[in-house]
Amino acid sequence: MPPYKPVIITTTAADREEAQRIGAALLEKKLAACVQYEIIWSHYEWQGETRIDGEIRLTIKSARCHYAAVEKTIRALHSYECPQILMQPVSRGFAPYLRWAKAALGL
């Protein structure tokens, strides 16, 4: 079994339904210990056009060893041509929470 290296993976979705579909799939596959959803506004340029859109940001608590599977799951369920999928390592955290997350991921 790979060592547990906690990470935070973020992505955005077009609406609540898509965000919850992605989150539910990640939890069902034990690729996420927890998924949080936030309503945000994104201001960006896409295909030569400046846009401002409402989105749902997903904050996914996972493990480095699951990144490829998380990315694959997000891409399979996502409506965007080029979704944001970013991984950030967690270097420190509240030990009881990290133990819970590790157990929730089956690691």
Side-chain angles (χ1 to χ4, degrees), residues 13-76:
D15 57 39
R16 190 177 99 190
E17 292 76 22
E18 182 175 79
Q20 289 178 328
R21 191 168 45 252
I22 292 167
L26 294 171
L27 289 166
E28 182 179 309
K29 295 176 181 184
K30 294 208 174 284
L31 297 174
C34 174
V35 179
Q36 296 171 317
Y37 308 94
E38 301 170 89
I39 298 170
I40 63 168
W41 290 98
S42 293
H43 194 173
Y44 58 99
E45 188 167 318
W46 178 248
Q47 298 180 341
E49 182 181 326
T50 300
R51 311 241 345 220
I52 299 177
D53 291 314
E55 295 183 293
I56 306 297
R57 178 173 38 224
L58 289 77
T59 302
I60 303 156
K61 283 49 170 285
S62 189
R64 179 181 224 91
C65 63
H66 290 331
Y67 177 79
V70 170
E71 181 182 294
K72 182 179 179 180
T73 301
I74 291 170
R75 292 182 66 208

